[in-house]
Amino acid sequence: MRKKRFLMLCLVCLLFLSAGCKSNGEDSKTAKEVKVWDYFTGKQQELYHKLVDQYNRSQDRYQVVTEYIPFNEVKKQLSVGAAGNALPDAVFLDNVDNASFAAMGVLEDLTDRIEKWGQTGQFYDGPLSSARYEDKYYGIPFASNALALFYNKDLFRDGGVAEPPKTWAELRKAAQKLSKGHTKGFAMSAAKSEEGAFQFYPFILSSGAGIDGLQSEKAVSSLRFLTDLVKDGSMDKDVLNATQDDLARQFAAGQLAMMINGSWNIERLKEAEQLDYGITFIPKDKEYASALGGENIAAVKGKNTDGAWDFITWLLDPKRLEALTAETGVFPPRRDIIEQSDHWKTDQNLKAFIPIMDFASARGPSKDWPKISEALQTALQEALSESKTPEDALGDAAQKISALR
């Protein structure tokens, strides 16, 4: 009898353990994996990973798995992955690339989901436009930045320049006056890369021209103005190889009185001792203009769209997005966050970017932006190196862009 009871007890325990193991196994399988590619580094990566862990603990439907892809590899990996069916469920990408990958059929149309979400009215127009292609949404803005004029207040005082320039004419005059010895009055990145196109774009827009009017006198005047700064000796030809980070280092060292740069370099400038500087609008010709930078997050077509969208909307909650952007030197693309948070209003340098965000323009948006950008970069390099006149350089660029239509 005891033997039977013992066997029964063993059987009950075995069934209990078996049921427990089965239950645990099934629970672990109920969460569908959502693979997300990102290119974050440093503080941004640390904060993002903490949020991912928080999301995974907050629910049991989806399990986000992050995969780091270097920034300069994202476009190539998306193209290769599309050919080999080895893509993630969601991806962070430079906002200027959103339209081109939408046109390639890599990204999921999120229009219905975004319209039901009902929060687009909280976003700045510039960032939001970068996520659209042919009147449909193929992503949503995640973090934003813009370009502005940084100026060294000490060099301005020493050079007898009372205030930062507001127009191109004032910029040229101030740059000439502030160029002394190893210090140049002005610099922008004119590198043969997206940085060059990014920094040239505001000058084209300020002239009243656009990408489809590069052969116009308005557009030519913008490139002629920059070329004249080099001829004056107010801007060094070294800008042809200078990145935006290079400019920030030179500015911090007192080698530049003015530069075009973005909010992400404010943290770098804090490392420079006794650097007294200000930030203002890029001087204008016809109107103030700035170029929009930053990244969008998009769902990949044919993958786990439900899981990707759930994570995206969770991540873009104002409280979570504020915490991430406030500590990483970028701006949230949501107007409601900036209006309600004190972070961007109390820091004088960050505060200067708030009105700029209102008119910062997305590059394009166009599926052909990579080739448009290359044409702009080439024209900028040709004119500043004086291998072509501004008229010829932009005329050639206009022909290249016209051939894309």
Side-chain angles (χ1 to χ4, degrees):
M1 189 71 177
R2 289 182 179 177
K3 186 175 181 180
K4 286 184 178 180
R5 287 180 179 175
F6 177 74
L7 289 173
M8 286 291 291
L9 183 62
C10 289
L11 181 60
V12 170
C13 290
L14 185 62
L15 289 172
F16 177 78
L17 290 172
S18 175
C21 291
K22 183 178 180 182
S23 175
N24 289 339
E26 286 180 347
D27 287 346
S28 65
K29 292 178 181 178
T30 56
K32 294 182 179 179
E33 181 178 291
V34 179
K35 181 179 284 188
V36 184
W37 283 359
D38 73 88
Y39 48 77
F40 303 137
T41 59
K43 185 71 171 177
Q44 192 173 29
Q45 182 185 68
E46 177 188 335
L47 293 172
Y48 169 63
H49 283 176
K50 284 182 179 179
L51 285 173
V52 169
D53 290 341
Q54 185 181 335
Y55 171 77
N56 287 338
R57 292 194 304 269
S58 72
Q59 46 75 53
D60 57 9
R61 291 173 300 162
Y62 305 109
Q63 182 77 13
V64 169
V65 176
T66 64
E67 183 174 349
Y68 171 76
I69 305 292
F71 177 77
N72 56 2
E73 287 288 316
V74 173
K75 287 195 285 188
K76 182 167 70 176
Q77 291 298 327
L78 278 176
S79 301
V80 172
N85 195 29
L87 291 173
D89 299 292
V91 59
F92 288 93
L93 71 169
D94 192 342
N95 58 27
V96 76
D97 295 322
N98 209 137
S100 59
F101 280 105
M104 289 169 58
V106 175
L107 305 181
E108 188 72 45
D109 179 357
L110 298 175
T111 307
D112 289 342
R113 294 173 188 266
I114 288 175
E115 288 179 350
K116 289 178 183 177
W117 187 43
Q119 296 192 34
T120 55
Q122 301 295 345
F123 285 74
Y124 286 100
D125 291 339
L128 197 60
S129 71
S130 72
R132 292 177 67 87
Y133 172 65
E134 293 187 341
D135 295 325
K136 294 182 178 180
Y137 288 103
Y138 289 89
I140 198 76
F142 172 72
S144 300
N145 57 65
L147 293 174
L149 180 76
F150 289 61
Y151 62 99
N152 186 312
K153 294 182 178 179
D154 288 331
L155 292 178
F156 266 58
R157 282 190 288 266
D158 294 343
V161 179
E163 58 183 16
K166 295 181 177 65
T167 65
W168 286 3
E170 291 177 2
L171 173 60
R172 186 176 183 184
K173 183 177 179 181
Q176 286 178 311
K177 197 170 184 179
L178 295 168
S179 295
K180 298 177 181 178
H182 296 294
T183 298
K184 289 296 181 181
F186 177 77
M188 60 175 285
S189 174
K192 188 70 168 65
S193 70
E194 182 59 38
E195 290 184 76
F198 183 41
Q199 296 229 334
F200 182 24
Y201 197 43
F203 289 94
I204 295 173
L205 296 179
S206 183
S207 74
I211 295 302
D212 291 328
L214 293 183
Q215 73 284 357
S216 68
E217 175 54 30
K218 291 179 180 179
V220 171
S221 71
S222 68
L223 189 51
R224 187 185 300 121
F225 169 72
L226 297 174
T227 304
D228 286 343
L229 290 175
V230 174
K231 291 180 178 178
D232 289 344
S234 304
M235 181 164 69
D236 201 294
K237 278 189 179 180
D238 286 349
V239 298
L240 291 167
N241 300 307
T243 67
Q244 293 168 120
D245 284 348
D246 291 334
L247 298 184
R249 283 190 286 270
Q250 293 170 23
F251 185 79
Q255 296 170 354
L256 294 175
M258 294 179 284
M259 69 169 178
I260 304 297
N261 223 310
S263 56
W264 64 89
N265 264 319
I266 290 175
E267 287 300 313
R268 179 190 295 276
L269 296 180
K270 286 180 180 178
E271 299 171 5
E273 295 183 3
Q274 298 180 335
L275 178 64
D276 187 12
Y277 71 97
I279 297 174
T280 188
F281 301 120
I282 297 173
K284 67 178 180 177
D285 180 26
K286 301 292 190 301
E287 58 192 67
Y288 286 118
S290 181
L292 181 78
E295 55 262 347
N296 295 347
I297 183 168
V300 174
K301 190 172 184 178
K303 306 294 283 186
N304 185 357
T305 306
D306 289 340
W309 179 246
D310 190 78
F311 175 63
I312 289 170
T313 52
W314 182 91
L315 191 63
L316 292 179
D317 176 85
K319 290 183 179 179
R320 286 182 275 272
L321 192 56
E322 178 185 354
L324 194 150
T325 52
E327 296 189 49
T328 52
V330 296
F331 279 75
R334 298 182 62 126
R335 189 189 306 273
D336 55 348
I337 295 179
I338 291 181
E339 289 176 349
Q340 296 168 21
S341 173
D342 290 333
H343 174 76
W344 290 274
K345 298 172 185 175
T346 53
D347 184 304
Q348 288 302 309
N349 291 320
L350 287 174
K351 183 179 179 180
F353 276 95
I354 294 177
I356 294 173
M357 287 293 297
D358 275 321
F359 57 77
S361 299
R363 288 157 284 170
S366 170
K367 65 182 179 63
D368 297 315
W369 182 261
K371 292 181 179 179
I372 293 172
S373 174
E374 185 177 353
L376 292 178
Q377 298 164 30
T378 301
L380 185 62
Q381 290 249 317
E382 289 172 342
L384 297 192
S385 66
E386 299 183 71
S387 62
K388 285 184 180 179
T389 65
E391 291 84 354
D392 289 343
L394 279 180
D396 291 346
Q399 288 184 5
K400 293 174 185 176
I401 293 171
S402 178
L404 301 173
R405 304 308 191 207

